[in-house]
């Protein structure tokens, strides 16, 4: 069958960020979502109602997608994992580049420095994921430029779509692979007014902002698919549309100020699934998942067998025409991939489920799905669900069917023992995830709603608190900890400060101890231990002033000020770029 293809199909992978299962119009779950272009794409192909990510978090899920191998095989288990193992893997882009494809990446990367994306098989890079300078070796109109920072000229979701459409125009006469990784609706919720205005009426502002960002993504998908149609490429292009994990609800879905809680609910919904981002429950793992290849994959399908983001790589290389050229042999389906070529299953040639079982491990959680049975573990907790009758995971059947739980646990253990490092858990359950399991899976009384911050970020000049609240009063910023014995810190992001940077702090603290200022540079995916300065603090009635020079040679984009327990008052917080 596959050898009959006359040419290599173009391949496009759309990847959204913290996009809940409910928020796709074709699903018919909520009435406020508007995704006409995605709905049209779905009708032209397949809605995979049981489509899964590989992890409930950004970095590992992207590592699994890009390599087609479960990320625990190369020690990429969470957002804080080192990238050494990933850097040794062969990506989809490299495999397709070896098969003669033009390759391009757009938007969020999150797998190392963006200026190094070309080392992972992408010829072209346009890594805009916010309204700040970003690494790119092409312009918005798809023309080559040296790899360097490119100032944004468009809203980041629009910019990615327009640049992708321009690359289609450029490579319309040869096969291409586009990875369009939209940073939406992930926080910060930054949709322009023109998109927000599409959703009038009473609703949480965070919900309005998420709908607006998803509407921008939908417009982008429409632009790209119309560009394909313009050049007669619709039936020559295989498209995947997948979310990286479920929406973060933070249990309470607090409608905190958009600029004052960058780590809060992103406004998206996982309804009717249980759980959220950070859980291997359905709400954290089952995402919007569409597949289309008009003329090859019959349209109008609702596919109910479980499929995985791991299947993208196996399908992409598996659909290459055999015997086409010397290069095509390099793209034949490798044996090291964990996914399955979905094409025979979606065309009806193979009626069997693509997978005997799907497996996951993330931090202290692990899970296996075999048919409709799903075993979910979190620390010492264990749950067994029949997803045929309980997709919402409300009824734990482990006690009723111990023989099924035992068999699935043995399969899960065998699989997990082959990971790096081995084991069904990487440590004990953190308090946050215990709270989530209590609420979603144990049905314990919901905690009282979390109060929205008393001050907006604008009132505190963009500074926000973690493990506490930061309020503005009488010209002072007052930091109140959530727990008296837990250290707190304040943070400010979206900075553009050319190093070195001078920080001046005038404050009082409730406890004597060590303070610290930490910073993140443009291109750093996290705060590095080396980027941290400490200073002593005394619990006195007098104001203390500390002037610290951040010895950064690049651009500082994010700063944290760490404090001892007990809270603090700030009279002055100043960050000044340059000497």
């Amino acid at each position: 069958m596959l050898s009959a293809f006359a040419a290599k199909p173009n391949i496009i992978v759309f990847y959204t960020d913290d996009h809940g299962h409910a928020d796709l119009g074709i699903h018919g779950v909520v009435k406020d979502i508007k995704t006409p272009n995605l709905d049209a794409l779905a009708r032209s192909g397949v809605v995979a109602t049981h489509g899964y990510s590989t992890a409930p978090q950004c970095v590992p899920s992207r590592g699994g997608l890009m390599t087609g191998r479960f990320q625990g095989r190369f020690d990429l288990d969470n957002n804080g994992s080192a990238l050494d193992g990933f850097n040794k893997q062969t990506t989809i882009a490299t495999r397709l580049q070896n098969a003669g494809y033009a390759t391009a990446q757009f938007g969020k990367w999150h797998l190392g420095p963006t200026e190094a994306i070309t080392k992972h098989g992408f010829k072209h890079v346009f890594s805009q994921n916010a309204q700040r300078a970003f690494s790119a070796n092409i312009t918005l109109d798809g023309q080559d430029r040296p790899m360097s920072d490119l100032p944004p000229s468009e809203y980041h979701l629009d910019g990615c779509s327009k640049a992708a459409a321009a690359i289609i125009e450029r490579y319309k006469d040869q096969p291409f692979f586009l990875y369009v990784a939209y940073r939406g609706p992930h926080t910060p919720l930054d949709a322009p007014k023109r998109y927000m205005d599409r959703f009038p009426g009473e609703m949480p502002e965070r919900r309005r902002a998420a709908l607006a960002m998803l509407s921008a993504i939908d417009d982008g998908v429409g632009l790209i698919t119309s560009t394909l149609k313009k050049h007669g490429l619709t039936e020559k292009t295989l498209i995947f549309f997948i979310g990286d994990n479920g929406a973060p609800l933070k249990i309470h879905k607090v409608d905190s100020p958009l600029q004052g809680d960058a780590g809060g609910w992103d406004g998206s919904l996982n309804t009717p699934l249980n759980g959220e981002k950070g859980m291997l429950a359905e709400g954290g793992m089952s995402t919007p998942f569409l597949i289309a290849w008009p003329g090859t994959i019959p349209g109008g399908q609702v596919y109910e067998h479980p499929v995985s983001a791991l299947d993208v790589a196996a399908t992409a290389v598996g659909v290459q025409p055999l015997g086409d050229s010397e290069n095509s042999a390099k793209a034949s389906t490798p044996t090291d991939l964990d996914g399955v070529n979905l094409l025979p299953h979606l065309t009806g040639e193979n009626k069997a489920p693509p997978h005997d079982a799907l497996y996951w491990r993330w931090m202290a959680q692990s899970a296996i799905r075999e048919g409709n049975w799903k075993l979910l573990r979190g620390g010492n907790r264990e749950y067994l669900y029949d997803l045929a009758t309980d997709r919402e995971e409300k009824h734990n059947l482990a006690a009723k069917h111990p023989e099924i739980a035992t068999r699935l646990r043995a399969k899960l253990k065998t699989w997990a023992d082959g990971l790096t490092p081995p084991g069904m858990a990487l440590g004990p359950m953190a308090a946050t995830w215990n709270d989530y399991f209590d609420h979603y899976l144990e049905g314990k009384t919901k905690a009282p709603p979390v109060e929205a911050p008393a001050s907006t970020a604008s009132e505190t000049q963009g500074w926000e608190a973690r493990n506490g609240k930061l309020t503005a009063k009488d010209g002072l910023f007052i930091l109140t900890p959530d727990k008296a014995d837990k250290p707190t810190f304040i943070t400010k992001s979206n900075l553009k400060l050319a190093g070195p940077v001078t920080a001046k702090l005038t404050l009082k603290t409730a406890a004597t101890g060590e303070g610290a200022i930490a910073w993140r540079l443009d291109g750093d995916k996290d705060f590095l231990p080396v980027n941290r300065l400490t200073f002593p603090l005394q619990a006195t009635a007098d104001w203390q002033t500390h002037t610290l020079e951040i010895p950064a040679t690049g651009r500082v984009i994010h700063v944290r000020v760490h404090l001892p327990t007990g809270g603090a008052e700030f009279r002055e917080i100043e960050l000044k770029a340059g000497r």
Side-chain angles (χ1 to χ4, degrees):
M1 171 187 170
L2 299 183
S3 60
F5 295 145
K8 302 180 180 74
N10 305 309
I11 299 169
I12 301 177
V13 176
F14 294 105
Y15 209 51
T16 51
D17 201 357
D18 287 6
H19 184 176
H21 182 272
D23 287 330
L24 197 63
I26 198 75
H27 283 172
V29 175
V30 292
K31 295 181 179 180
D32 54 2
I33 190 75
K34 297 176 183 177
T35 54
N37 294 298
L38 284 168
D39 298 347
L41 181 68
R43 287 190 292 270
S44 74
V46 178
V47 179
T49 54
H50 293 255
Y52 290 96
S53 177
T54 68
Q57 196 179 44
C58 297
V59 170
S61 66
R62 289 161 201 276
L65 171 75
M66 279 288 97
T67 63
R69 304 185 70 220
F70 186 77
Q71 58 276 358
R73 299 196 186 283
F74 45 90
D75 200 15
L76 189 71
D77 291 288
N78 59 72
N79 279 0
S81 296
L83 292 166
D84 298 351
F86 170 76
N87 290 334
K88 297 175 183 177
Q89 304 303 306
T90 304
T91 65
I92 311 174
T94 297
R95 296 182 193 275
L96 293 177
Q97 193 173 57
N98 289 341
Y101 279 68
T103 57
Q105 181 273 346
F106 309 86
K108 183 171 177 175
W109 178 240
H110 223 44
L111 289 167
T114 51
E115 64 269 18
I117 295 174
T118 53
K119 295 180 180 179
H120 297 285
F122 290 101
K123 179 178 180 179
H124 301 300
V125 175
F126 191 90
S127 67
Q128 185 182 7
N129 68 2
Q131 298 313 108
R132 57 176 178 262
F134 57 96
S135 298
N137 64 7
I138 54 171
T139 61
L140 187 68
D141 59 0
Q143 299 305 304
D144 294 330
R145 63 187 298 275
M147 178 69 83
S148 60
D149 276 2
L150 182 65
S153 61
E154 298 275 349
Y155 176 50
H156 61 94
L157 299 177
D158 297 340
C160 290
S161 302
K162 291 180 180 180
I167 287 296
I168 294 173
E169 296 278 0
R170 178 173 172 177
Y171 289 102
K172 58 183 180 293
D173 297 323
Q174 65 185 92
F176 53 78
F177 167 57
L178 309 185
Y179 173 45
V180 187
Y182 294 114
R183 200 274 294 155
H186 194 293
T187 58
L189 297 166
D190 57 6
K193 184 176 183 297
R194 66 181 182 277
Y195 288 118
M196 297 281 279
D197 288 348
R198 294 180 179 182
F199 300 92
E202 291 294 323
M203 68 176 71
E205 286 305 307
R206 286 187 163 257
R207 179 62 177 165
R208 192 188 320 279
L211 294 173
M213 293 180 79
L214 290 169
S215 189
I217 289 171
D218 187 75
D219 279 7
V221 171
L223 172 65
I224 290 167
T225 53
S226 66
T227 305
L228 293 174
K229 183 177 180 181
K230 171 184 172 183
H231 296 292
L233 299 176
T234 300
E235 295 189 354
K236 299 176 182 178
T237 306
L238 168 62
I239 297 177
F240 290 89
F241 182 94
I242 307 172
D244 70 338
N245 48 245
L249 311 177
K250 309 297 183 180
I251 295 179
H252 311 291
K253 297 195 290 291
V254 173
D255 192 28
S256 53
L258 300 185
Q259 303 303 319
D261 188 5
W265 172 41
D266 76 339
S268 192
L269 298 171
N270 301 319
T271 313
L273 306 182
N274 202 8
E276 59 176 284
K277 178 181 179 179
M279 300 178 69
L280 295 184
E282 292 292 285
M285 296 299 296
S286 184
T287 72
F289 202 121
L290 308 176
I291 311 158
W293 188 357
T296 298
I297 297 175
Q301 293 189 63
V302 176
Y303 194 75
E304 296 187 351
H305 290 306
V307 297
S308 167
L310 294 174
D311 299 331
V312 173
T315 305
V317 298
V319 299
Q320 301 305 307
L322 303 179
D324 174 70
S325 68
E326 183 178 346
N327 276 340
S328 72
K330 299 179 183 177
S332 58
T333 306
T335 58
D336 62 333
L337 296 181
D338 288 321
V340 170
N341 178 3
L342 295 177
L343 189 65
H345 300 272
L346 301 180
T347 59
E349 178 185 352
N350 188 336
K351 302 291 187 182
H355 298 273
D356 168 62
L358 289 177
Y359 302 86
W360 299 273
R361 183 187 72 183
W362 184 73
M363 307 295 282
Q365 303 174 43
S366 57
I368 175 175
R369 175 168 178 176
E370 180 190 74
N372 288 318
W373 287 108
K374 179 179 175 182
L375 184 78
L376 169 62
R377 294 177 58 84
N380 296 322
R381 312 183 193 208
E382 186 170 88
Y383 308 84
L384 178 69
Y385 299 108
D386 179 2
L387 298 184
T389 59
D390 184 24
R391 185 81 192 277
E392 295 80 11
E393 295 175 313
K394 294 292 188 182
H395 306 287
N396 183 7
L397 303 179
K400 185 176 181 180
H401 297 288
E403 73 289 352
I404 295 176
T406 298
R407 178 174 57 79
L408 293 180
R409 188 186 316 112
K411 289 186 68 170
L412 178 59
K413 183 179 186 303
T414 298
W415 171 80
D417 284 346
L419 302 180
T420 304
M424 289 192 290
L426 297 175
M429 284 272 279
T432 297
W433 312 122
N434 274 318
D435 290 345
Y436 281 23
F437 271 57
D438 281 348
H439 175 69
Y440 290 108
L441 303 182
E442 301 287 350
K444 294 183 178 179
T445 302
K446 184 176 179 179
V450 175
E451 294 180 6
S455 300
T456 66
S458 61
E459 292 174 313
T460 54
Q461 299 174 11
W463 289 95
E464 304 171 46
R466 295 292 182 266
N467 302 325
K469 295 179 182 178
L470 187 66
T471 58
K473 184 178 180 181
D474 299 329
L476 303 178
F477 294 166
I478 301 171
L479 177 62
T480 306
D482 290 336
K483 296 182 179 179
D485 60 347
K486 190 171 184 179
T488 59
F489 67 90
I490 60 173
T491 181
K492 189 171 185 177
S493 58
N494 297 319
L495 300 170
K496 298 179 182 179
L497 300 173
V501 173
T502 300
K504 185 178 180 182
L505 308 171
T506 301
L507 72 163
K508 296 177 182 178
T509 57
T512 296
E514 184 178 82
I517 187 165
W519 62 93
R520 184 162 64 91
L521 299 177
D522 196 6
D524 292 344
K525 73 181 185 68
D526 208 343
F527 285 81
L528 303 177
V530 69
N531 293 340
R532 183 182 176 96
L533 293 174
T534 61
F535 56 95
L537 288 167
Q538 299 292 324
T540 72
D542 298 325
W543 291 102
Q544 306 165 65
T545 297
H546 296 270
T547 302
L548 306 161
E549 183 171 294
I550 296 174
T553 56
R555 183 167 51 201
V556 175
I557 63 171
H558 194 173
V559 168
R560 291 175 176 172
V561 178
H562 294 265
L563 300 166
T565 58
E569 295 180 5
F570 294 87
R571 191 174 68 186
E572 180 182 21
I573 311 176
E574 181 183 73
L575 298 173
K576 185 176 180 181
R579 295 186 183 277

